[in-house]
Amino acid sequence: MTLALDAAAQDLLFREARTANTFTDEPVSDEQVQAIYDLVKYGPTAFNQQPLRIVLVRSEEGRERLLQHLAEGNRAKTAAAPLVAILAQDNEFHEELPSQLPHFPQAKDMFFSERSVRESSATLNGALQAAYFIIGVRAAGLAAGPMTGYDPAGLNKEFFADGEHSVLAVVNIGKPGDDAWFDRSPRLAYDQVVTTV
């Protein structure tokens, strides 16, 4: 059975995709990021909730604020990346539901009145949107270097002091540089993952 995507697209989005560790100095424009978002915003989520929030770190001051909260092994590559995106979840995403789910506006209060329920849902659906974003970066012909090696409490305090947002990932973005990739790590086989009942 063949897939709908041609082999080149499959390679670009999945088979050849790696976490980039070095980048060229070619800039990533706001227009590129907008094109990525305008593509990936259509990825499905529960109740059409859209908890993903993106902070683009472009300034030196913003970069310094970010670097102090990263694991030591992530600092140099993040300092050198043309663009860094902090991906976060909006734990108050339910406020947008009446406009984003117009056929069922009561979902806001019916399902998401409790903060703990919203946070759990925002984590799952925000992570889905983060994955779509990473694939969108690849679709734009750029490399993504997603990381979770950071101090989440420190990043939340630094960039999301309102308490309404929580960091999900930090993603370096740009054209891959020299020796950008580690060797491909093994993947589980189909029979190790899939069962039929």
Side-chain angles (χ1 to χ4, degrees):
M1 174 180 262
T2 59
L3 300 174
L5 289 176
D6 66 32
Q10 293 172 40
D11 287 345
L12 177 69
L13 299 179
F14 296 101
R15 283 194 289 265
E16 298 300 322
R18 305 278 204 304
T19 295
N21 293 290
T22 67
F23 299 89
T24 69
D25 58 3
E26 182 177 332
V28 177
S29 70
D30 287 335
E31 291 79 14
Q32 286 173 296
V33 177
Q34 183 166 351
I36 291 165
Y37 179 74
D38 286 343
L39 173 66
V40 304
K41 69 183 179 185
Y42 294 108
T45 58
F47 292 94
N48 197 35
Q49 62 186 269
Q50 296 160 55
L52 181 67
R53 299 297 180 266
I54 304 167
V55 175
L56 300 178
V57 182
R58 291 194 181 278
S59 70
E60 287 305 315
E61 181 265 337
R63 194 76 58 120
E64 288 304 315
R65 289 173 55 205
L66 171 62
L67 291 176
Q68 65 183 327
H69 300 290
L70 297 183
E72 183 64 37
N74 290 332
R75 290 180 186 162
K77 62 186 174 184
T78 302
L83 178 63
V84 183
I86 303 172
L87 306 184
Q89 65 190 48
D90 182 352
N91 296 307
E92 302 300 321
F93 70 87
H94 70 306
E95 296 295 344
E96 304 290 339
L97 279 182
S99 66
Q100 301 307 302
L101 199 65
H103 64 280
F104 189 25
Q106 62 271 35
K108 172 190 172 200
D109 298 317
M110 186 180 293
F111 295 106
F112 300 108
S113 61
E114 294 181 31
R115 171 75 184 230
S116 62
V117 173
R118 289 195 305 275
E119 285 180 354
S120 177
S121 192
T123 298
L124 171 62
N125 290 282
L128 281 173
Q129 288 189 290
Y132 299 146
F133 180 81
I134 291 165
I135 292 172
V137 168
R138 293 173 179 157
L142 299 168
M147 302 173 289
T148 57
Y150 52 76
D151 170 20
L155 271 183
N156 287 338
K157 184 177 179 184
E158 188 74 41
F159 290 93
F160 308 109
D162 62 7
E164 294 181 1
H165 300 82
S166 306
V167 65
L168 289 165
V170 176
V171 183
N172 295 329
I173 303 169
K175 292 284 187 181
D178 294 334
D179 299 317
W181 323 114
F182 296 140
D183 290 339
R184 167 72 78 196
S185 296
R187 297 296 192 268
L188 294 173
Y190 178 87
D191 292 340
Q192 294 175 282
V193 174
V194 179
T195 56
T196 302
V197 295

